Amino acid sequence: EKEEDRRRRARDDEEKKERREQEERKRRAREEEEEKEKARTSRAKADEQKERDREEKAKKEKEKEAERAKEKQREETRRADEKKRDEERRRAEEKEKEKEKEKERQEDNAQRIRRERQEADERERERERERSRQAQASSTSEPDTDKDNEEALSKEAKIEAERQEKADRAARAKEESDRKKKEAEEKKKRDEKEKAERDERTRKEKADREEKARKDQAEREDRARQDKAREEERKEQARRDKEKDEQARREKEEQKKAQADRPPAEKKETAPSGGAAGGGGGGSNDADLSDPSLLSTWQDVRSDSSSTTWMLMGYKGTRNVLSLYDSGEGGLKGFRQAVEEQGQEVMYGYVRESYGENDRAKFVFITLVPDGLSGMAKSKANTHKPTVDAFLKYYHIQVSATSLDDLTDDVVHARIKAAAGVHYGAGKGGGVSGGGEDFGSIKSNAKVFYQQTEKKGTVGGGGGSSISYSKGPLARTTPVSLVGRAGITEKYIKTDLKAEGKRSDDGEAGTGDGDDDAEEEDTKQKEAEKRRKEDEEKKARDAKRAEDDKKKEQDAKKKADEEAKKTDETKRKADEADKKRKEDEKRDQQEAKKKADDLEKKKADEARNKERQQKEKEAADKKRQEEDEKKKKQEAEDKKKQEEEKKKKQDAEEKERQAKAKAPTSSSSSSSSSTPTPSPSSSSSSSAPSSSKSSSATSSSAPPPSPAPHPPRDLISYELPKGYKDAWDGDHVRLPCSPRNVSDKGVRKWDIIIHLLSRSLTNTKELEQVILELNPRFKGKWNFVGLHHYFANVASPTYRDFFFKETLAEMAKLVLDLPNICPTPIPLLHQRRDKQFILSQKQISCLLACAFFCLFPRRNPFKGQTEYLDFPSINFSTLFMAGVSTEKITCILHYFDRVCTDMPGGKVSFHRQVLDGFPVWRSSKMPIMQTIVKSTGAIEDREVRLKKAASIVVNDSSILDDDDLEWISGMLDDEAPASAQPDPVQYLEVDFANKLVGGGVLANGLAQEEIRFLQAPELITSRLFVAELSDNEAMIVTGMERFSHGTGYSTSFRHGGDFQDTTPYDKIRRRQTQLVAIDALDLNRVLGHSATKETILMAQFSSDLITRELNKAFCGFHSDEESDDLCSVATGHWGCGVFGGSKQLKSLIQIMAASEARRGVCYHAYGDMEFSKKLHTVGDLLHKKKVTVGGILLNFTAYMLAFARVSFP
């Protein structure tokens, strides 16, 4: 019996060991399956991403095709419209020619009829005179002298009639010739304008096509590179998957081989002791799950009656103690949101997810180990995972995740679906999967079944040996039914078996294990074969898609080439038709000119005759007028004498009446002298009506001002001064004081301005109310947050009181005195009009004060306002809004403080310079002038001295005559004011301007131009009358005064305090400071904001863009003065900021343009020491070698490479 017991115990130990090994193999197989499932999921994600990429690519291609189709349709429509306009224009011209010819025919007929009628009348008169002579000869004999007188008179009358007729014909011919010349000139101008527009459209279309072709080519190359990269990535991924599968297969074969070669002695060793939770239970490295909230929350998740569907656990900074982070509703979605709120650490989760048609609950065990964790943290997760596994017990699938992408609904549901209802985790405790049949009934049925089996068999010897059943948790590998419900364990629940029955059971179990292994191997082979077929099919699909994409690209390219050919052919035909039309027009013009010359020559004699007759007639008329004037003068003197006598008589009668009334008046005054004198209050009250009466008499047309809460300051008359001249048209500034500036209700706005600005304003709220009352259309649209913030948080209380009591009051007085300060109209400097004029500094301060109160009519942009679209804004409404730098407001208010305290007496000139012709740059022989490079300092820190002032219109009711122009044309040191010594350095400052001068000075901009305008606010006045600059235009301002220091740039700009400008004056009281505003190309706008830096860098080196920049710079630097001693140009990185220009290219362009204008250059590099040194080297080399401007352009590439070698080592 002892031997049998020993053998039985040995068999039991061996059986336990084999079961543990079998469980371990299944566990490893399950883990391998999970890894493969994860790999398959990753591949599925990658395939989905590729599919989405392909769909996105196809979508973009379709959009591009649609855009190209739309572009083609627009192009065709535009061409059809242009063709239609040309046809209509030709028909109109033909009709006009027919009308002119018809008119000429009618005039010729009328003249012919008139001549025939006159000849007939003359013949009739001759016959009448002949008859009368015959009658007189027959009746009486008259003296020969009478007959001679009659013949002379008739001859004289005939000559006079002929002379009058010739004069009329000459006058008509001259009028007709003038009319035709005018029409020819107008037609020529129209043709030139149309030609320029057509050339511009052609150039733009060509540039657009080239740019579009470049973009399409770049996009095709990018797509090809991306496709190639994706294909290589896919191949590399397939190779790695294949290697991984091969390695897993080899490892499995090695494990099987090692298992088969293991000696029997090893199989009989007993298993090591340890916890059932997965190795190391109870050790110091195990996870601590003693927190009671974990168990209660787990039970809530397991319960169908609870709304809690997930829980999240973590370490909370401890080494091995797990705590509950969060729990809640929403299943996977709520769990993902909770994970996002936590940091990067190891976490565990348990989720109840409803999925499938029957909405059956499935449980998921989640282990989250982010990729970015250290190796120690990941090893801790591997160590603690079995303990957490044993705690959670029941789940259908286990998910090991590295990010939230592994926990999407699609991925988890696919895993649940792949599990086909099997509860992998049921063996960890023998539990059931939430719902279904009762576990107790399963256990009792199993017990009854095995009791009946024992009675029938030999187990236990048939002697009624007691059999005990295990009451603990089920084993790890719990068998399941077809629906996934747990069954009995493989232990057979028995522990006391007989030897024969045990051996029989062992044999059956061994057979079952072999069958299971074979089935598992077949299943894996089938899955591998299935994956291989899927991979082959996927490769075939990818190859087919790639071939289709390549074919589509080829078709699109072919289609684009065909469209380009069609476009070129259409353009060629249009050019030929245009050329033919121009030749016809030229021939017609020559013929018309020839006819006009013949007609003019024919009628020249008639005109001379008429002129002689006219002079004789004018002499007679003049003599007659002199006689009439003498007569009228005599009559006026007689009348004046009569009036003086009458007045003397009236004066004498008035004196007599006064003498009669004197006696009673003196008596009444003596009687009233005894009465008491009135108090000051009564006298003032009695004088009030008289004063109000006098004021109403002086301003009868304006209503009296309404009572104000503050005492009114000095008022000016509501009537405009007699010397004020108004101009309310498109060629002059519309001033607020114009009588035609009326409100929507027809009330004159100047009366409203006087009424509102006569009050004393004490805070920004009152100022805002006044501005909005003057601009009622913008109530609710304008905000004054920036102004309120400045005076509430930035300005000191002392300055706030000073501004409202002193500065603002003086600004209001300046506004109210506008008709006297600016009595003559201020011209607008429109495009293509070379014009200049002068304003005094007092006039400028008055205009800026009007802008501060937002008074200029039609200058507030709103929907439907198109009159000033090409002018910048001038009213200060945008300066007061939120987000505007307080430093801007500081600079503007400092200017008003200065001019309202001490008004300067200088003048400032504004010149819009327009050039119609430019140098032929490639053939220019001008040598490169000297270049000085300054690494520090700003352009405006230079003193500027001028030598020239051309024809100037002065806006103070006077025009400079020729003597004045000669006087100011050359500045002599001995004639200069005393403040002009010593002789300052001569520089012409460059303003890196916007097309609309001033840029964002009244908004958010704070670049070089805006800072210069803030330091000298008189420049802001140019925004009132200077329209947008064209490519051949520049604005030149002379005489502006600087009022403020400034430091920093853009957001770092700060007002640096007061600046006392000591620049000397010239002879017309302008400071010798000159600024030229030239706008560089905004390459982001020209090339599109989507263009890369490389594209912008390469595009600006095209010949068209270089020529444009050369012309623009030359337009600003050019001077009509024939002198070799012009002042140098002070400039810097023009167009190299947000406009995207290259410093190397722009500096060379400015040096060439200045040299062509016979000027040197002082270049400010704004602290860039390295660039300063290298630019100095290049400029000095060009000057010493006497390189010409044309020589640089002819070898431009070589010079830029040389520059690059210097500038970019």
Side-chain angles (χ1 to χ4, degrees), residues 618-653:
E618 286 177 356
D621 293 339
K622 187 176 181 181
K623 188 175 181 181
R624 197 164 44 250
Q625 287 177 1
E626 288 176 355
E627 293 175 355
D628 294 338
E629 285 176 358
K630 288 180 180 179
K631 187 176 180 181
K632 288 180 180 179
K633 190 175 180 180
Q634 186 65 33
E635 292 176 355
E637 288 177 356
D638 296 339
K639 187 175 181 181
K640 187 176 181 181
K641 288 179 180 179
Q642 292 177 1
E643 288 177 354
E644 287 176 356
E645 292 175 357
K646 186 177 180 180
K647 187 175 181 180
K648 288 179 180 179
K649 187 176 180 180
Q650 291 176 354
D651 292 339
E653 292 174 356

Side-chain angles (χ1 to χ4, degrees), residues 810-970:
E810 292 299 324
M811 290 168 61
K813 287 183 179 180
L814 281 173
V815 173
L816 297 179
D817 201 23
L818 174 64
N820 294 313
I821 296 175
C822 299
T824 58
I826 301 174
L828 293 176
L829 302 182
H830 286 289
Q831 292 180 342
R832 297 181 295 279
R833 297 183 186 178
D834 193 312
K835 192 173 184 179
Q836 58 181 335
F837 61 87
I838 281 182
L839 292 174
S840 67
Q841 288 185 285
K842 185 174 183 180
Q843 289 173 325
I844 292 175
S845 62
C846 177
L847 295 174
L848 289 179
C850 292
F852 183 87
F853 289 104
C854 306
L855 299 181
F856 287 106
R858 304 189 184 182
R859 299 303 292 268
N860 299 314
F862 62 92
K863 188 175 181 181
Q865 175 64 269
T866 59
E867 182 177 357
Y868 292 98
L869 284 180
D870 56 343
F871 283 83
S873 61
I874 183 61
N875 289 329
F876 282 17
S877 58
T878 53
L879 186 68
F880 302 148
M881 293 185 179
V884 179
S885 172
T886 56
E887 301 300 323
K888 288 188 175 184
I889 301 178
T890 303
C891 293
I892 298 296
L893 297 185
H894 176 71
Y895 164 76
F896 283 119
D897 293 339
R898 283 273 305 271
V899 298
C900 291
T901 303
D902 183 15
M903 179 63 68
K907 295 181 180 180
V908 182
S909 66
F910 299 87
H911 178 200
R912 186 186 191 96
Q913 180 160 284
V914 182
L915 295 185
D916 295 328
F918 291 96
V920 181
W921 294 102
R922 289 185 176 273
S923 60
S924 174
K925 301 299 182 182
M926 290 297 296
I928 296 299
M929 304 291 284
Q930 185 177 4
T931 301
I932 301 173
V933 182
K934 300 293 184 182
S935 59
T936 59
I939 296 173
E940 58 270 17
D941 294 336
R942 290 292 174 189
E943 295 284 348
V944 180
R945 166 106 181 277
L946 302 180
K947 282 200 167 187
K948 183 172 185 289
S951 177
I952 298 172
V953 179
V954 183
N955 189 36
D956 57 359
S957 304
S958 64
I959 307 295
L960 293 180
D961 55 19
D962 294 339
D963 295 335
D964 291 329
L965 293 177
E966 292 177 1
W967 175 63
I968 65 173
S969 62

Side-chain angles (χ1 to χ4, degrees), residues 1192 1194-1205:
I1192 293 179
L1194 290 174
N1195 301 279
F1196 190 75
T1197 304
Y1199 279 103
M1200 285 310 299
L1201 289 175
F1203 201 116
R1205 285 197 295 271

Side-chain angles (χ1 to χ4, degrees), residues 248-259 521:
R249 186 182 63 77
R250 285 197 300 270
E251 290 177 356
K252 187 175 181 180
E253 290 178 354
E254 290 175 359
Q255 290 176 0
K256 286 185 178 180
K257 186 176 181 181
Q259 186 71 21
E521 187 66 20

Side-chain angles (χ1 to χ4, degrees), residues 255-315:
Q255 290 176 0
K256 286 185 178 180
K257 186 176 181 181
Q259 186 71 21
D261 295 341
R262 185 183 298 177
E266 294 182 7
K267 298 181 180 181
K268 294 181 180 181
E269 293 179 357
T270 60
S273 61
S284 61
N285 293 329
D286 287 350
D288 185 357
L289 297 163
S290 59
D291 188 356
S293 62
L294 296 176
L295 181 60
S296 61
T297 307
W298 175 79
Q299 291 173 350
D300 291 338
V301 176
R302 293 285 303 170
S303 175
D304 292 337
S305 60
S306 174
S307 61
T308 303
T309 59
W310 57 271
M311 61 184 291
L312 178 65
M313 299 178 290
Y315 293 94

Side-chain angles (χ1 to χ4, degrees), residues 11 58 124 175 315 357 386 392 467 482 530 539 583 622 716 819 829 885 914 917 924 996 1053 1070 1102 1108 1110 1146 1149:
R11 285 195 300 272
E124 185 63 30
E175 292 176 358
Y315 293 94
E357 297 178 355
L392 296 177
I467 301 173
L482 294 177
K530 184 178 179 181
K539 289 179 181 179
E583 291 176 354
K622 187 176 181 181
I716 67 170
L829 302 182
S885 172
V914 182
S924 174
L996 299 173
F1053 173 75
R1070 295 182 306 178
S1102 65
R1108 188 272 176 194
L1110 283 170
K1146 297 291 185 175
I1149 285 175

